Amino acid sequence: MITADLATVLPELLLALAGLGLLMFGVFHKGDATRVVSVLAILAFAAALLVMAKGDTQSITAFNGLFQVDRFTVFSKGLILLAAAFTTAMSVDFLEKEKIGRFEYPVLIVFSTLGMLTMVSAGDFLTLYMGLELQSLPLYVLAAYNRDNQRATEAGLKYFVLGALASGLLLYGISLVYGFAGTTQFSSLTLVLGATEGAAPSMGVIVGMVFILAGLAFKISAVPFHMWTPDVYEGAPTSVTAFFAVTPKIAAFTLLIRVLEGPFGQLGHQWQQVIVVIALLSMFVGSFGALGQNNIKRLLAYSSIGHVGFALVGLAAGTEMGIQGVLVYLAIYLFMNIGAFAIVMLMRRKGVAVEGVDDLAGLSKTHPALAYVMAGVMFSMAGIPPLAGFWGKFYVFMAAVQAGLWTLSIVGLLTSVVSAFYYLRVIKVMFMDEPKGEFDRHIGKPAKLVLVLSTAVIILFSIFPGPLLSSAKVAAQVLFPG
Amino acid sequence: MYIAVVFLPLLGSIIAGLFGRVIGDRASQVVTCTGLGLSALCAALIFQTVAIDGHSVTVPLLTWIKSGGLDVSWALRFDTLTAVMLIVVTFVSFMVHVYSIGYMSHDHSIPRFMSYLSLFTFAMLMLVTADNLVQMFFGWEGVGVASYLLIGFWYHKPSACAAAIKAFVVNRVGDFGFALGIFGTFFLFGTVGFDDIFAAAPSKAQTIVHFFGCDVNAITIVSLLLFVGAMGKSAQLGLHTWLPDAMEGPTPVSALIHAATMVTAGVFMVSRMSPLFEQSETALAVVTIIGAATAFFAATVGCVQNDIKRVIAYSTCSQLGYMFFAIGVSAYPAAIFHLFTHAFFKALLFLGAGSVIHAMSDEQDIRKMGGIGKHIKVTCALMWIGSLALAGIPPFAGHYSKDAILSAAWASGSTSGHIAFFLGMGAAFMTAFYSWRLLILVFHGKPRADDHVMGHVHESPLVMIIPLLVLAVGAVLSGAVGHDMFVGEENHEFWRAAIAILPDHTALASVEHVPDWVEHGPLVLAVSGIALAYLLYVVFPAVPSFLATNLRGLYLFALNKWYFDELYDFLFVRPAFKIGRGFWQGGDGALIDGVGPDGVAAAAKDIGRRVALLQSGYLYHYAFAMLIGIVAIVSWYAFMAH
């Protein structure tokens, strides 16, 4: 029994051991071990990915239902591991240039990723909470990683306090659910809530669900639980921001889908209303908030809030097609963002990082290749066909329309028009303004790789949408048995 | 041959237009002139075959539009009417091409000019060889475009640009009428092909349509709409304002477009549609009155103009009036005959005027000329010939055609015909007067130009003089030679099916039977007009200015062209600008831009600022927002539960 359970959690086990081992290695390694540890961490991610891909992809539960693996978790974990690997790879050069390269950085990322994998696979609210905390704590540290920088420490502190609040909300919600439903296990909850079908669901369970939802909404920075995002994105070192923008978001979003479609699946009618509202608010804030921003990291923070709003549209639809759309959206979002952040990390003049949108002025003349990649990313984020970002939006809105959520779709389209403004402004600055001076020439191999990959996905998705679409479909089907 | 006559000018135009820079000025001139020369040769051969020998030909090219009942094909139709027009167009155009080599020798874009000239000629040939209304419309618009390009050839001159736009816009008004006429024709006959229309015309003569609440004869409406198109192109009263302004173009352009070809397109079109017009007495009466009024009006204005080209331009306008009232009294052959002779002597006059302008260092005001006749004897002699022809002095060409028209107007016996006759007689008198006023002021008397200009007065080069000589031959002989053919007893043999005249429209047939005073009246009036000009400008030179001062109102009225431009400016141009500005500033600027893009953008910016302001940076604000969110959602459910 225990062997089977351990086999199920093999990827997590591998990451846990890797984290511990790397920590020891770093401590005993003479001199700066950041680069070595980073490479090893990436290998660990790759190994975990490999193990997961090799493993059984049927739905399995382990540890008496505390842990579950199925195609949905595999899809989600695949994205998480990819994102973690890419952001780690991108970080090395950046950290060295910022002179904050220490071996704990990749180790923290490994532990955080471990937490994410755990929470995505949670079959019980207790596992969920444990995983969530395990991913959060390293993030707090990472946010303040540049500990001599006032803004970074401020960002870390804010994130920590608000994160603690969100954790508290989540925990309170879990306790309420336990109090009213008598269980914390997902499968049992489904049965309990399903049994009261017809009758109005207990108010206590609903309040508990709302609190849980709020806790998770904080992690994906959906409005009104988004307030930390712009400050933390701006304050944290850019490599950390890149990690924040992608990895935990995907983890928390898939977890949200799992919780809402799994244990609370029977309350679909109830949570749909909340999701619609926060989707609307997120799209609105994400579009309008960024209009006046000149800091590119802050701009991307609002952009990510907007993207979460769009993805929530698919969740609000609550159909298999909607979930498929969300998963596709998240995958595309991953590649667009690592592309954008890879370029932001290269914005460096005479060794000093710059973050203003106007610092990009004339990039098309000084670094044409970068400018074109960035333009591609921005067009894609704005949802200009035939780039991948368009299809991401297309699938979620399609699902929303089929589910009859007209208001949501129309508002979504309108706000995406508004958001197009600031994406296009970046392009305008790069291509039409006079150059402000060159960026430093050196572009590391990982950055190159990420840029090429990101561009390839953005462009090629239109031509070869098959693999992503079908795997997302398979993953979404898990949540809609029968 | 039939295809070459039309497409050689197009070929020349394309070569000169697209490759002019590569092949150079000289080659462009050679290519276009050769094209036109060959085209003119073909035209002569076609005239022989089609008009003299009587073999009408239709050359189908290809199908153009085939949609439902609409079937339009490209086909070249050659009958006597077309053959006459071909002769006029290709010969005058050829002369103008050759003349341009000399006249435009100092210009910087010779290939462009030659290309436009040939393009224009092609469009005009397309117009006259059209086999259906749509194809004719193609040529019609083609000449419009080419004329726009040529009038505005010196695009750096604001006045030339304005004139080009004016010509184009005023022509649009006419074109709109023409287009409506085509629609009407299609509506009525279900076809746009000439043969089908003409065959069906008599049977539709009594068709009544319900139009704006009244019952009107369908053919009348269609004819009048087509006539509106003709008025625009042929500068008839009301739509004539563009023609004098078009003199901003280079002089060869004036000679080609505004004397011999484009402005006669209206006359040609109405003649071509004669089977249709013949069915409507009303339409014919309208044509008569408008034509006669134009002839008279333009002559009065011509008497007081001071720009040498404008005098000739108004003269053209006036002569076109003659042609139209000839049409109005069903004397189509006389109209085409006058068109034919007029093309020679008016082109001669224009090109002669160009020669004068050339000699006078680009001076165009006849008050600043005088006494140059002895320096440029050839030009002077040629201008005399042109004027004699214009005034209708025998044996020059104008005498035959103008007399035929006036006699026909009298012989028609209708009221409108008689009105036209008297207005035409008045115009004939004034024509002679202003022609000699021009001759005397330009060539005779004392020089009024300064010595510098006078010192430069020189005869034009041979390349300009030869075309003038050729045209002069036409101006002298075309009347006498053509008279019997065009309007003689046996003119049916010549025109055959090209022109249809109802049997009871006998104006032309009874020309020979008019009273003596009608027959000789025009000549008498012309001679007295010349005499009056001689008296006023040679014997008593003080009288004109005395008259101008004492009859100031009348003088200014004529000098300002009966205030047509001012009237249109007030009625159409200003309101149009006002409406345009209203739509632009009020509608587009304030409303659409203001509420639309600008308003939305401003609102978005404002909202963006407010949203960003929420981001205070204070931790407790952030926590507060989260808690408020929770409270709101929970309250929502609590509220919903009850």
Side-chain angles (χ1 to χ4, degrees), chain A residues 144-199:
Chain A
Y145 191 71
N146 191 359
R147 63 188 176 203
D148 298 327
N149 182 304
Q150 198 186 338
R151 278 188 12 220
T153 44
E154 184 189 326
L157 194 61
K158 273 181 186 165
Y159 189 39
F160 173 62
V161 173
L162 294 175
L165 177 62
S167 271
L169 294 175
L170 182 78
L171 209 50
Y172 185 51
I174 293 173
S175 68
L176 275 173
V177 169
Y178 179 67
F180 281 86
T183 177
T184 56
Q185 199 152 32
F186 289 178
S187 51
S188 318
L189 263 172
T190 314
L191 292 175
V192 171
L193 295 175
T196 60
E197 201 171 4

Side-chain angles (χ1 to χ4, degrees), chain A residues 22 39 78 80 87 167 315 325 338 340 346 371 385 394 406 432 452 469 479:
Chain A
L22 287 177
V39 172
I80 293 167
T87 44
S167 271
L315 178 56
I338 57 169
L346 291 172
F394 175 78
W406 288 100
M432 296 177 192
V452 168
L469 281 186
L479 300 175

Side-chain angles (χ1 to χ4, degrees), chain A residues 84-161:
Chain A
F86 286 135
T87 44
T88 311
M90 282 152 62
S91 304
V92 182
D93 281 338
F94 178 81
L95 292 173
E96 279 178 3
K97 282 185 190 145
E98 286 289 296
K99 301 187 180 59
I100 48 173
R102 278 183 292 273
F103 75 90
E104 289 91 345
Y105 183 90
V107 174
L108 285 167
I109 287 191
V110 169
F111 280 123
S112 179
T113 309
L114 172 61
M116 292 175 208
L117 298 191
T118 312
M119 73 187 198
V120 166
S121 265
D124 190 296
F125 274 116
L126 293 179
T127 331
L128 184 156
Y129 185 70
M130 197 184 72
L132 195 71
E133 285 303 293
L134 179 55
Q135 69 106 28
S136 295
L137 289 169
L139 292 186
Y140 302 144
V141 181
L142 282 172
Y145 191 71
N146 191 359
R147 63 188 176 203
D148 298 327
N149 182 304
Q150 198 186 338
R151 278 188 12 220
T153 44
E154 184 189 326
L157 194 61
K158 273 181 186 165
Y159 189 39
F160 173 62
V161 173

